[in-house]
Amino acid sequence: MTLSPARVPATGVRRLTRTLYGYAFLDDFVLLYPVYALLFADTGMSLWQISSLFALWSITGVVLEVPSGAWADAVSRRRLLWIGPLLTAAGFALWVAVPSYGAFAVGFILWGAGGALGSGALEALVYDELDRLGAGDRYARVMGRARAARLLGTVASIGLAGPVFAQGGYAAVGAASFLACVLTAVTATRFPEHRARADEADDTWATTLRTGLAELRGDRSVRGALLLVPAVAAVWGALDEYTPLLVRDIGVAEATVPCLIMLIWAGVTLGSLLAGPAERLGTSGLAMLLAGAALALAVGAASRSLAGIALVSLAFAGFQLAEVLADVRLQHRIDESRRATLTSVASLGTELATVATFGVYALLGTDLPHGTVFAVLAFPYLVTALALARARAARERP
């Protein structure tokens, strides 16, 4: 039977999205997520040591982010998407096999390298494949659902972490995390990829990087969209690493911590699912979204209560939604041949700002409770919201 022209793209979109959602779910179905900060603390790490590990993770991304994005534009993006999870799997295995500061550091380097390989490559592959199928206008909705699938993986892993940890401790959650990474790599091999330049040798990653940076210098709208990504993503992405400590600080038992972390991520999942309709918000709407989320974070974290954790969940939902919308604005403005490169440049900015946030958190957290530090770090989002509002007003001024 011959498929009709209308059905061929639909079939291709279904294959792409199913693979994407499966990949996203498995990539964050990591039972170590809600407990690895506790693993570090239980191994005897101080707050400064824990923060230095998080910073090392981000520094690895800083070093590898842009070269890996340029590499993804020069070779096969799909190949990088299956190599990355295998590196992460090796890092998790090391954590539970020989728990120590050195092992944690090497594990974060492997995890950072694995993340860098996929950062930029995934967004570029999905956008270009959708565009090839005539479905480029679905990118916001598809990526919103992919992030929701990713967060569902997080929520599911958090829900299972408690009982698995109770039965087998850190070794059990580590083994489950290792298996999830291997399955992620297997799923990545199913991604379609039809780029003519994939696997060709005529474009080196250095050439791709130079042309991508030239586009960034020459287009003001691209620069603005690119800078918005780290402004939205960095701070709450760093705060996420401290949420188990924030939750434990309100006085709940350690066994309850994964349940409350799951509440936070359930809210974020809902925020991701709103990405399609929320694309209509525009600049003013995005500014209001960021301001509202910042206020919810400050009030919720400072209250040090169960109700406050619900407000933190609401704030994270707003930040996640804003992050998807910032990515959509960027993807609409950049050229296909440099998509992974410039997406990686945006991720580089996010990593640099994240490292700075870890340092600020460690400095403030020495003398202040976690709830107060979270509240203070809501302020940058108010600044970003004000900058967006002023930019919109400047464009409308005659």
Side-chain angles (χ1 to χ4, degrees):
M1 181 179 69
T2 302
L3 296 177
S4 67
R7 190 176 173 188
V8 172
T11 302
V13 170
R14 281 196 299 271
R15 178 190 170 186
L16 172 65
T17 55
R18 287 173 182 173
T19 303
L20 173 63
Y21 301 155
Y23 178 90
F25 178 89
L26 290 168
D27 196 36
D28 268 22
F29 186 65
V30 178
L31 272 64
L32 275 168
Y33 278 170
V35 298
Y36 66 69
L38 305 182
L39 168 63
F40 303 156
D42 291 345
T43 306
M45 302 297 104
S46 67
L47 178 61
W48 272 102
Q49 287 178 309
I50 293 173
S51 295
S52 71
L53 289 170
F54 293 154
L56 178 62
W57 186 15
S58 292
I59 289 169
T60 303
V62 167
V63 173
L64 299 178
E65 188 70 54
V66 175
S68 67
W71 192 22
D73 278 334
V75 298
S76 169
R77 294 164 179 169
R78 178 173 57 200
R79 182 187 306 162
L80 302 190
L81 291 174
W82 65 257
I83 293 175
L86 296 181
L87 295 179
T88 304
F92 290 159
L94 189 61
W95 282 3
V96 295
V98 283
S100 62
Y101 184 84
F104 298 149
V106 174
F108 268 128
I109 290 172
L110 290 170
W111 193 357
L117 289 180
S119 178
L122 180 64
E123 294 87 348
L125 184 148
V126 172
Y127 191 96
D128 289 342
E129 288 298 316
L130 285 174
D131 190 54
R132 183 185 68 84
L133 294 166
D137 59 343
R138 302 188 195 181
Y139 178 77
R141 182 172 60 191
V142 167
M143 291 307 292
R145 291 176 178 176
R147 288 177 183 247
R150 187 178 292 278
L151 295 168
L152 284 174
T154 300
V155 170
S157 67
I158 291 169
L160 288 174
V164 172
F165 181 79
Q167 291 295 320
Y170 292 118
V173 295
S177 301
F178 176 88
L179 178 60
C181 291
V182 173
L183 292 175
T184 304
V186 172
T187 303
T189 64
R190 295 284 301 160
F191 273 116
E193 186 173 29
H194 296 84
R195 293 171 63 241
R197 88 172 40 195
D199 293 317
E200 290 182 357
D202 55 340
D203 282 330
T204 66
W205 72 267
T207 301
T208 306
L209 177 59
R210 284 196 298 270
T211 57
L213 294 178
E215 179 180 353
L216 181 61
R217 290 192 298 269
D219 193 324
R220 184 176 179 180
S221 69
V222 172
R223 286 199 305 274
L226 189 147
L227 290 172
L228 181 61
V229 173
V232 171
V235 173
W236 88 274
L239 292 179
D240 166 43
E241 305 304 328
Y242 297 97
T243 50
L245 302 176
L246 173 71
V247 170
R248 187 163 65 175
D249 214 29
I250 70 174
V252 300
E254 287 197 5
T256 308
V257 171
C259 297
L260 294 179
I261 298 298
M262 184 165 58
L263 170 65
I264 292 175
W265 286 103
V268 179
T269 303
L270 178 62
S272 293
L273 293 173
L274 296 174
E279 193 174 6
R280 307 187 191 98
L281 282 177
T283 301
S284 297
L286 183 57
M288 294 178 63
L289 174 65
L290 287 172
L295 292 174
L297 176 64
V299 174
S303 71
R304 300 180 65 185
S305 64
L306 291 176
I309 296 301
L311 280 176
V312 172
S313 173
L314 180 63
F316 275 27
F319 296 142
Q320 173 67 26
L321 175 57
E323 186 176 335
V324 175
L325 297 179
D327 173 57
V328 171
R329 289 161 70 102
L330 177 61
Q331 298 302 329
H332 285 337
R333 287 167 171 78
I334 53 183
D335 182 76
E336 173 187 352
S337 63
R338 294 174 286 276
R339 191 175 306 284
T341 301
L342 292 181
T343 302
S344 290
V345 172
S347 296
L348 172 62
T350 300
E351 294 293 348
L352 289 171
T354 300
V355 171
T357 304
F358 287 145
V360 171
Y361 197 106
L363 181 63
L364 296 176
T366 301
D367 300 314
L368 299 174
H370 294 288
T372 303
V373 180
F374 269 66
V376 170
L377 290 175
F379 180 74
Y381 286 108
L382 295 176
V383 175
T384 300
L386 178 61
L388 284 170
R390 293 183 64 179
R392 174 63 185 271
R395 286 197 300 269
E396 293 180 347
R397 192 177 300 128

